[in-house]
């Protein structure tokens, strides 16, 4: 199926592997890419062989040596140029993203600008990798501490934010002086290829960023077992993250794991209800709920529960489900049929456990098989799959509570610890609840917390490490201490 989007820069569409600065179209072992809105095949992507992977490692090692010859300021300028090219091509990049992932074009554009902000941020951080000197315990000694690039990095990224999740890894990695081999999700390879295409145009050395596609299990085994890969950064499900963590131990790689979430959102009785309703809608329905920081469990104080549910029903009724290229669309399709089956099973489980379906709950077949309606469910028990599992669909599940201690215990009662949110106008309560919630990130009176200048990441089963902020570049550095005796 020919590509059906019109781009100002058609060269952004690359369907091959990127290794050593060259696009390799294998014309063998190809896998299809689909448009979730229509289930039609967009194109076919080349699959890497083991020889391709070994070539990528050799190229990355040589590129790192080349990249070390650049000063920090020279690296910074190239990363800044990459940022400028992303901004200049943002409309095309957004179209490619919507085409293969399905999210509304406005959200796709927002993701492109968000991804670009990591290049803008780390172009500056590249110049601020400062070391330190330490007063020596012995006479005639000088103690230096330096931070060096960790080495060749492997990156594995998900389909839900195919541009930003890769940008959040590539930008700090190259700013730290590392080369990278990236494997994007098989559902959304075009966004990764387009981002890499612009990196070459910005002037990065051939092989500094390689993008390979193929069988995830085989590539995962290769990345985990090859000692030349010194760092693995993964964004995806907790299940796969655990497997990678276990299998990287034998080569002692540095790890970053951005894993699954199950975010609680608490509305206390002293909340501004309109601010809370706005925060719930924004934190729940972004990317049709297919976002790791989406609010999954909405706890509303029983004294205001009916009022908030009524207001939520009004706002949900305004949400327009449709093709991402339709300018009026606010919710796009789910990524595939497996996601629809998962969403339906969560609703069915809730309804068999006395939950009340207020709106939605199924697909809108008039739009297509992957268009799951924005759904509101009022739950009478927390013994539900909706409570225990990451929903990853536009399903808003509401639970009641009466006391702070009760709701904090419920909020902390799952193995996840990525994002959490609560709404209150009481400063004592805000301080106490923020202290008590066991999460890497907390939104207070807001449902949107992601940005390039903050340490994004989770605790418990939601992962290791942080992306963004000054913390994000530390993931790609290693410490060297030099003790100089000037005798
Ligand atoms: N914490 C975060 O920042 C964050 C961000 C986005 C998505 N996520 C999580 O990602 C999940 C949804 O994304 P997904 O469905 O793509 O997740 P997934 O774990 O199925 O896949 C993620 C990536 O891993 C690859 N993969 C799968 N099995 C592999 C293996 N054995 N070895 C190597 N690679 C393998 C996939 O091809 C894909 O590229 C959700 O759980 C979501 O919460 C987390
Ligand atoms: O899916 C989780 C991503 O991290 C999305 S975002 O960073 O919140 O935009």
């Amino acid at each position: 199926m020919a590509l059906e989007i019109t781009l100002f820069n058609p060269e952004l569409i690359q369907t091959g592997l990127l290794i050593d600065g060259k696009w390799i179209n294998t014309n063998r072992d190809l896998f299809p890419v689909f448009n979730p809105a229509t289930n039609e095949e967009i194109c076919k992507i080349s699959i890497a062989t083991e020889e391709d992977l070994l070539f990528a490692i050799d190229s990355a090692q040589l590129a790192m040596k080349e990249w070390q010859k650049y000063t920090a300021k020279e690296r910074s300028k190239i990363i800044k140029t990459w940022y400028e090219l992303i901004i200049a091509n943002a409309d095309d990049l957004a179209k490619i993203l919507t085409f293969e992932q399905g999210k509304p074009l406005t959200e796709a554009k927002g993701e492109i600008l968000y991804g670009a902000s990591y290049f803008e941020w780390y172009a500056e951080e590249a110049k601020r990798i400062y070391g330190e000197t330490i007063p020596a315990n012995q006479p005639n000694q000088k103690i230096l501490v330096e931070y060096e690039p960790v080495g060749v990095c492997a990156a594995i990224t998900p389909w839900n934010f195919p541009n930003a999740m890769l940008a959040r890894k590539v930008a700090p990695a190259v700013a730290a002086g590392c080369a990278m081999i990236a494997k994007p999700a098989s559902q959304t390879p075009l966004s990764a290829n387009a981002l890499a295409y612009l990196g070459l145009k910005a002037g990065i050395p051939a092989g500094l960023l390689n993008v390979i596609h193929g069988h995830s299990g085989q590539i995962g085994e290769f990345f985990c077992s090859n000692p030349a890969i010194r760092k693995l950064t993964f964004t995806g499900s907790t299940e796969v993250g655990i497997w990678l963590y276990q299998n990287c131990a034998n080569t002692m790689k540095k790890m970053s794991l951005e894993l699954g979430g199950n975010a609680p959102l608490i509305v206390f009785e002293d909340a501004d209800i309109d601010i809370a309703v706005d925060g719930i809608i924004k934190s729940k329905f972004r990317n049709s709920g297919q976002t790791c920081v989406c609010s999954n469990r909405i706890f509303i104080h029983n004294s205001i529960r009916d009022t908030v549910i009524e207001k939520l029903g009004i706002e949900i009724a305004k949400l327009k489900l449709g093709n991402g290229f339709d300018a009026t669309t606010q919710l796009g399709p789910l990524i595939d049929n497996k996601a629809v089956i998962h969403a339906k099973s969560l609703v069915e489980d809730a309804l068999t456990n006395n939950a009340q379906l207020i709106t939605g709950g199924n697909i809108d077949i008039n739009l297509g098989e992957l268009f799951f309606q924005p759904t509101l469910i009022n739950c009478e028990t927390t013994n539900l799959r909706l409570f225990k599992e990451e929903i990853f669909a536009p399903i808003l599940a509401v639970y009641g509570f009466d006391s702070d201690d009760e709701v904090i215990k419920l909020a902390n009662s799952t193995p996840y610890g990525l994002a959490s949110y609560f709404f209150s106008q009481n400063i004592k309560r805000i301080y106490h609840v923020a202290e008590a919630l066991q999460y890497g990130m907390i939104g207070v009176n807001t449902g949107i917390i992601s940005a390039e200048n903050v340490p994004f990441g989770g605790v418990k089963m939601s992962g290791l490490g942080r992306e963004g902020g000054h913390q994000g570049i530390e993931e790609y550095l290693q410490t060297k201490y030099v003790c100089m005796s000037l005798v």
Side-chain angles (χ1 to χ4, degrees), residues 156-161 165 168 183-187 216-221 234-238 240-241 243-244 257-261 291-293 390 392 418 456-457 462 467:
I156 302 172
T157 52
W159 52 262
N160 63 339
F161 287 80
M165 294 305 95
R168 205 157 80 177
K183 191 218 78 73
S186 54
Q187 299 94 325
S216 55
Q218 291 170 7
I219 294 170
E221 284 179 8
F234 171 75
T235 297
S237 64
T238 293
V240 174
W243 186 90
L244 293 168
L257 298 170
E258 295 285 351
L259 306 180
T291 301
C292 60
V293 292
E390 185 173 43
F392 242 59
L418 188 59
F456 186 107
S462 290
E467 295 188 325

Side-chain angles (χ1 to χ4, degrees), residues 69-80:
K69 296 174 187 169
Y70 290 62
T71 64
K73 192 166 185 177
E74 288 166 336
R75 289 201 287 262
S76 171
K77 281 183 178 176
I78 289 172
I79 297 167
K80 186 64 178 296

Side-chain angles (χ1 to χ4, degrees), residues 53-348:
L53 298 175
L54 290 169
F55 179 28
I57 285 194
D58 291 344
S59 173
Q61 289 175 318
L62 290 173
M64 261 198 77
K65 291 190 172 77
E66 182 63 24
W67 199 226
Q68 299 314 305
K69 296 174 187 169
Y70 290 62
T71 64
K73 192 166 185 177
E74 288 166 336
R75 289 201 287 262
S76 171
K77 281 183 178 176
I78 289 172
I79 297 167
K80 186 64 178 296
T81 301
W82 199 343
Y83 160 74
E84 290 160 354
L85 287 172
I86 294 167
I87 297 299
N89 291 272
D91 289 335
D92 278 356
L93 294 170
K95 283 184 182 176
I96 292 168
L97 203 161
T98 292
F99 204 27
E100 64 177 358
Q101 197 273 345
K103 67 180 64 175
L105 205 50
T106 50
E107 274 196 38
K109 180 74 174 289
E111 181 184 338
I112 299 300
L113 299 179
Y114 170 52
S117 69
Y118 285 96
F119 288 90
E120 184 184 35
W121 176 265
Y122 286 107
E124 289 305 310
E125 291 297 288
K127 296 184 285 186
R128 294 176 178 82
I129 302 174
Y130 300 145
E132 57 189 304
T133 60
I134 298 172
N137 292 343
Q138 305 301 327
N140 303 318
Q141 270 192 358
K142 283 292 179 189
I143 305 258
L144 305 178
V145 177
E146 298 173 324
Y147 299 100
E148 301 177 332
V150 68
V152 171
C153 304
I156 302 172
T157 52
W159 52 262
N160 63 339
F161 287 80
N163 172 282
M165 294 305 95
L166 181 58
R168 205 157 80 177
K169 298 175 186 303
V170 172
V174 298
C178 295
M180 181 169 272
I181 305 168
K183 191 218 78 73
S186 54
Q187 299 94 325
T188 53
L190 297 175
S191 294
N193 279 2
L195 189 64
Y197 169 89
L198 292 175
L200 291 176
K201 293 295 179 190
I204 62 172
L208 194 72
L209 174 60
N210 303 278
V211 184
I212 50 101
H213 309 286
H215 300 294
S216 55
Q218 291 170 7
I219 294 170
E221 284 179 8
F222 179 86
F223 282 169
C224 291
S225 60
N226 195 299
I229 291 178
R230 298 311 317 136
K231 157 95 185 177
L232 188 138
T233 174
F234 171 75
T235 297
S237 64
T238 293
E239 178 193 4
V240 174
I242 290 170
W243 186 90
L244 293 168
Y245 195 27
Q246 289 169 332
N247 285 275
C248 282
N250 291 335
T251 49
M252 201 53 71
K253 295 181 192 352
K254 190 164 185 159
M255 302 292 290
S256 297
L257 298 170
E258 295 285 351
L259 306 180
N262 185 347
L265 186 151
I266 306 167
V267 183
F268 289 99
E269 73 278 14
D270 59 26
D272 179 311
I273 290 178
D274 290 332
I275 291 175
V277 167
D278 179 65
I280 291 169
I281 296 295
K282 285 179 175 168
S283 77
K284 175 71 256 185
F285 292 106
R286 192 157 66 100
N287 198 19
S288 289
Q290 301 170 118
T291 301
C292 60
V293 292
C294 273
S295 50
N296 267 5
R297 298 169 289 144
I298 314 299
F299 299 102
I300 302 172
H301 192 273
N302 281 318
S303 65
I304 56 170
R305 188 173 176 181
D306 291 345
T307 302
V308 175
I309 286 176
E310 183 184 355
K311 286 177 176 280
L312 285 172
I314 293 167
E315 293 307 314
I316 288 170
K318 297 175 187 172
L319 294 173
K320 185 167 182 302
L321 184 61
N323 188 311
F325 286 109
D326 176 340
T328 63
T329 290
Q330 292 163 293
L331 263 67
L334 298 187
I335 189 67
D336 56 25
N337 196 45
K338 181 183 164 189
V340 169
I341 292 167
H342 174 71
K344 284 180 175 176
S345 68
L346 294 179
V347 172
E348 284 157 21

